Amino acid sequence: MHIMGIFDFRDPSKRKVKRDTIIVKCDIKEIYINNTLISFPTNYTNLKNILGEATRIEPIKQTKNKVYLWDDIGIYCSTNNPEKMLMLLLVEDNRYGLGHQPKTNFKGDILIDGEPMKNTLQNVDVDRPYMLRSIIKENKQVAVALGWNPDVKKSN
């Protein structure tokens, strides 16, 4: 006799993802977030599969853009088209005015070529198919922008 689990009836795509630590791994050609390959531009469905449902989706005044916020993990993305999301902002210190603020700071790990970002950020040059930028305020890294590199032409 099978005893149904309390959540068996729920659609797995609607389950709240348990998010302890987000691990972003960047290598020469690819980015993985929690071991799931992601490439930019991406779309909301892909992000939802990796990060779970956004906590808030809010319009940005006087634009067609919306901001997608994952409050509990310190990540947001603004876009005018949920099918073409160019960049994620990993907010490490939400006391600085970076537009929209997730309610908590990003506490995950960002690894470049298997090493912590602070040691290897210089490895991310214009040849990589993604861009990674450190956002500095008052000599402190307050956020990391991760996304599409418009300079790289897709090689066939």
Side-chain angles (χ1 to χ4, degrees):
M1 171 176 124
H2 174 70
I3 298 172
M4 193 167 131
I6 191 161
F7 296 111
D8 284 3
F9 61 90
R10 289 177 57 190
D11 177 346
S13 69
K14 295 189 175 58
R15 268 185 214 147
K16 191 125 168 83
V17 178
K18 185 173 185 318
R19 301 181 273 218
D20 294 327
T21 303
I22 301 290
I23 299 173
V24 179
K25 291 181 184 165
C26 303
D27 65 25
I28 301 275
K29 295 277 181 230
E30 295 159 334
I31 299 170
Y32 293 86
I33 299 177
N34 286 2
N35 295 320
T36 302
L37 181 65
I38 182 170
S39 59
F40 291 93
T42 188
N43 61 52
Y44 183 58
T45 303
N46 289 343
L47 290 177
K48 196 166 63 172
N49 288 338
I50 298 170
L51 303 173
E53 199 78 53
T55 324
R56 295 180 285 152
I57 300 174
E58 298 180 344
I60 299 174
K61 289 183 180 72
Q62 289 145 359
T63 71
K64 291 188 167 90
N65 289 12
K66 287 193 171 138
V67 66
Y68 294 73
L69 294 114
W70 286 267
D71 280 319
D72 53 337
I73 53 174
I75 294 177
Y76 82 80
C77 175
S78 62
T79 185
N80 63 359
N81 177 356
E83 290 305 309
K84 191 172 184 190
M85 297 171 117
L86 299 179
M87 186 184 335
L88 291 177
L89 205 66
L90 315 175
V91 179
E92 296 179 335
D93 190 333
N94 62 9
R95 295 173 303 181
Y96 291 85
L98 299 168
H100 295 260
Q101 301 296 20
K103 291 186 173 142
T104 59
N105 290 330
F106 177 78
K107 298 260 193 295
D109 295 317
I110 302 169
L111 303 172
I112 301 169
D113 303 334
E115 298 283 329
M117 176 181 160
K118 65 180 188 300
N119 304 340
T120 50
L121 183 60
Q122 72 279 1
N123 294 359
V124 181
D125 59 19
V126 295
D127 297 335
R128 296 214 177 186
Y130 58 86
M131 72 91 183
L132 187 71
R133 299 276 184 280
S134 189
I135 296 163
I136 308 287
K137 301 264 185 186
E138 296 173 11
N139 296 323
K140 180 179 157 193
Q141 180 173 295
V142 297
V144 174
L146 175 66
W148 185 53
N149 180 354
D151 297 335
V152 170
K153 310 290 178 270
K154 293 261 189 250
S155 56
N156 294 343

